[in-house]
Amino acid sequence: MTLRCDLIIRDATVFDGTGASRSRADVGVTDDRIVAVGDLRSASARREIVATGLALAPGFIDAHTHDDRAVLCGPECMLCKMSQGVTTVVVGNCGVSLSPVRMQKRPPPPLDLLGDESFWTFGSFAEYAERLARDPAPVNTYALIGHMSLRVEAMGGDTQRAATDKEAAQMRARLAEALSQGASGFSTGLYYPPNMMAPTDEVIAVAEALRAAGGVYVTHMRDEASEVLASIEETLSIGRAAGVPVVISHHKCSMPENFGRSAETLPAIEAGARNQRVDFDVYPYPAGSTVLMPDRVRADVPVRITWSIPHPEMAGRMLDDIAGEWGLELKQAAERLTPAGGVFHQMDERDVQRILRHPLAMIGSDGLPHDAFPHPRLWGTFPRVLGHYARDLGLFSLEAAVHKMTGRTAEVFGIADRGVIRAGAFADLVLFDPAAVRDASTYENPTRPAEGIVETWVNGQSAYVSRQGATAARAGRLVTRQTA
Ligand code: ZN
Ligand code: CU
């Protein structure tokens, strides 16, 4: 009997996501699954692609996103990701998740990264999941529940303080409820002013809900600058106290006085990893991006404005330029621009490379999809790692690069049967040209689609085709953490 498939990709150079050496093989897909990998000369399919010279990898898993709202608004909203080969996004990072809280007025920063009150309509994670089921996203969604969202729900407008025991218990109950409805973990953004007021004990009290549900704790740490080592210790202690695995978000050593300190932070994380589960994600750029906080602007950290409510015309311009034009100090100009966001040139390229190269690193974009003039990571992260860092700089092999964005990420988050090419796995796939793949977006032109990504499939359906764009497919699903 000859095998008949929906799709066969023939003679591809297969990077299977495990980090194993590439091999030439045919890959057969039927319905939403990979059904065969190997020599499929005797098999046939409704659609056959000859992929000689092209690389086939598991669809990329974006370990760190703020796509909570973008996954709900159709294929065009996710073009930035599918054009990079991304097929699954982890939403709800940095303490910011679109559920379980409704907003009557503009949410406080950084919750407003996801938009104004009109988008905050999900009073429970079940309602969010229901919306995803009714109106599927073009990519798979894996969801974390944000500490700040829980805080605003439990504490109302009064979040500039520690939560009471009662409020912490309410947050823990809401988190437990969300985990029972398909959320997979809990995120904090302790760096941000209102959440800074949350002591370690409050975080542990809420994170306790993770243990019974087998959830994961993910954190934008309290300090990624001078106190980064103390923050790593705090993160590890939260993981131990709650008895859960931890993921450090977008690991970095921030601010010029801390350049080079990844030589201290990585060994500290490794030491922790000997006793407990700890991993981290990283984006491949020496600049960060978030809301603009006037108290934190510094002359030695150039800032490019990514959006501004009162001054939308300033998006894309440098803060010091704007301040000069207005005849103001940097801080005063920032005050006049807020609510606003920026790109902050606050890291050292050598730290970025050392962190990317580390075996515990996963790739996450931290892209901000609603910014008027976004950080280029939104459109460029994955091709930049494959092209610039792996191929051009030789920082690591293409096998290692693919592993950091597929198999490793699936393992850390407990995403079953994805992030790997093997018979029986879901058919999340990306076909790309390893010689041509590159990021095209820059700080000055941040929304150019990447080059060299030929086609992206989600659950067996073609989601993105080079030069044509996003297809109409909405094959994405809510994926939840599975623990052995
Ligand atoms: Zn963050
Ligand atoms: Cu983030």
Side-chain angles (χ1 to χ4, degrees):
M1 222 183 78
T2 59
L3 179 67
R4 176 81 185 160
C5 301
D6 291 339
L7 166 71
I8 295 178
I9 302 161
R10 295 194 181 279
D11 195 32
T13 302
V14 173
F15 293 81
D16 72 2
T18 68
S21 299
R22 65 194 81 184
S23 64
R24 275 171 78 159
D26 308 327
V27 173
V29 172
T30 293
D31 194 18
D32 62 352
R33 300 274 182 165
I34 297 167
V35 291
V37 181
D39 182 349
L40 303 182
R41 261 176 298 192
S42 62
S44 62
R46 211 153 34 84
R47 181 177 174 213
E48 302 203 4
I49 299 170
V50 176
T52 306
L54 296 179
L56 186 68
F60 305 141
I61 300 170
D62 191 341
H64 186 112
T65 84
H66 295 283
D67 292 343
D68 301 52
R69 175 183 145 203
V71 292
L72 301 176
C73 71
E76 282 308 313
C77 286
M78 294 309 292
L79 182 61
C80 54
K81 296 295 171 70
M82 297 189 292
S83 60
Q84 297 183 59
V86 170
T87 58
T88 299
V89 295
V90 177
V91 307
N93 277 287
C94 300
V96 177
S97 63
L98 204 50
S99 77
V101 58
R102 290 196 186 87
M103 297 284 175
Q104 293 340 313
K105 55 184 199 329
R106 187 178 176 87
L111 293 184
D112 59 344
L113 287 175
L114 296 181
D116 65 27
E117 64 274 21
S118 64
F119 299 99
W120 293 78
T121 60
F122 303 102
S124 69
F125 185 77
E127 288 172 41
Y128 182 79
E130 190 188 308
R131 172 69 190 279
L132 267 180
R134 195 173 61 227
D135 256 342
V139 298
N140 302 307
T141 305
Y142 176 103
L144 308 172
I145 297 297
H147 182 217
M148 185 164 177
S149 302
L150 293 171
R151 287 187 115 233
V152 168
E153 206 232 3
M155 302 163 71
D158 181 23
T159 54
Q160 301 282 351
R161 58 175 174 86
T164 63
D165 288 353
K166 197 167 157 235
E167 288 160 342
Q170 187 188 334
M171 289 189 251
R172 180 169 63 241
R174 288 295 264 162
L175 175 60
E177 177 190 65
L179 294 166
S180 75
Q181 295 167 341
S184 295
F186 172 51
S187 80
T188 55
L190 300 173
Y191 160 80
Y192 292 101
N195 310 320
M196 267 167 49
M197 304 308 289
T200 309
D201 285 351
E202 174 187 322
V203 179
I204 293 169
V206 182
E208 297 262 311
L210 294 168
R211 189 185 331 210
V216 59
Y217 174 63
V218 180
T219 181
H220 179 158
M221 299 192 299
R222 209 176 279 280
D223 196 315
E224 297 173 304
S226 298
E227 296 302 317
V228 62
L229 286 174
S231 288
I232 290 170
E233 280 317 312
E234 179 187 29
T235 299
L236 295 171
S237 75
I238 292 167
R240 284 194 305 272
V244 296
V246 300
V247 174
I248 295 170
S249 294
H250 42 60
H251 185 44
K252 63 172 78 71
C253 296
S254 206
M255 301 301 159
E257 61 273 24
N258 298 302
F259 286 1
R261 291 189 62 200
S262 57
E264 299 166 48
T265 62
L266 292 170
I269 296 171
E270 281 166 27
R274 284 195 278 275
N275 304 308
Q276 67 190 98
R277 186 77 208 227
V278 53
D279 298 277
F280 58 85
D281 62 74
V282 55
Y283 49 79
Y285 297 86
S289 184
T290 188
V291 290
L292 182 65
M293 291 173 276
D295 287 340
R296 294 186 180 182
V297 298
R298 293 172 40 153
D300 58 353
V301 173
V303 181
R304 188 185 299 272
I305 298 303
T306 52
W307 59 276
S308 163
I309 296 288
H311 292 284
E313 74 282 5
M314 294 304 181
R317 293 193 48 193
M318 300 304 290
L319 179 62
D320 57 356
D321 259 20
I322 299 168
E325 196 173 296
W326 286 347
L328 296 176
E329 297 296 313
L330 288 176
K331 184 180 165 183
Q332 295 171 307
E335 275 163 358
R336 195 184 277 189
L337 287 162
T338 51
V343 165
F344 304 85
H345 294 269
Q346 59 190 16
M347 289 168 253
D348 182 31
E349 176 66 23
R350 280 165 301 183
D351 284 322
V352 172
Q353 294 191 15
R354 193 184 286 135
I355 293 168
L356 278 169
R357 211 166 45 215
H358 195 277
L360 292 177
M362 304 178 279
I363 307 303
S365 70
D366 202 8
L368 299 170
H370 312 296
D371 286 11
F373 201 91
H375 186 302
R377 66 196 184 185
L378 178 66
W379 289 80
T381 290
F382 294 85
R384 183 168 176 79
V385 171
L386 297 169
H388 178 64
Y389 284 112
R391 181 195 57 224
D392 298 345
L393 296 190
L395 199 60
F396 33 65
S397 66
L398 205 48
E399 283 86 346
V402 169
H403 181 56
K404 288 172 185 288
M405 45 183 86
T406 58
R408 175 154 172 72
T409 319
E411 199 254 314
V412 169
F413 285 102
I415 302 175
D417 296 332
R418 300 188 193 273
V420 64
I421 292 183
R422 61 162 162 72
F426 287 103
D428 290 348
L429 295 165
V430 54
L431 187 66
F432 66 93
D433 181 344
V437 68
R438 65 179 282 269
D439 57 306
S441 60
T442 61
Y443 295 110
E444 295 78 20
N445 284 291
T447 60
R448 288 198 195 127
E451 292 166 15
I453 303 292
V454 177
E455 190 160 350
T456 305
W457 291 266
V458 176
N459 292 310
Q461 295 192 35
S462 179
Y464 168 81
V465 181
S466 141
R467 282 184 287 275
Q468 295 173 36
T471 71
R474 290 177 153 218
R477 296 175 192 168
L478 178 67
V479 297
T480 55
R481 180 173 173 82
Q482 312 285 315
T483 45

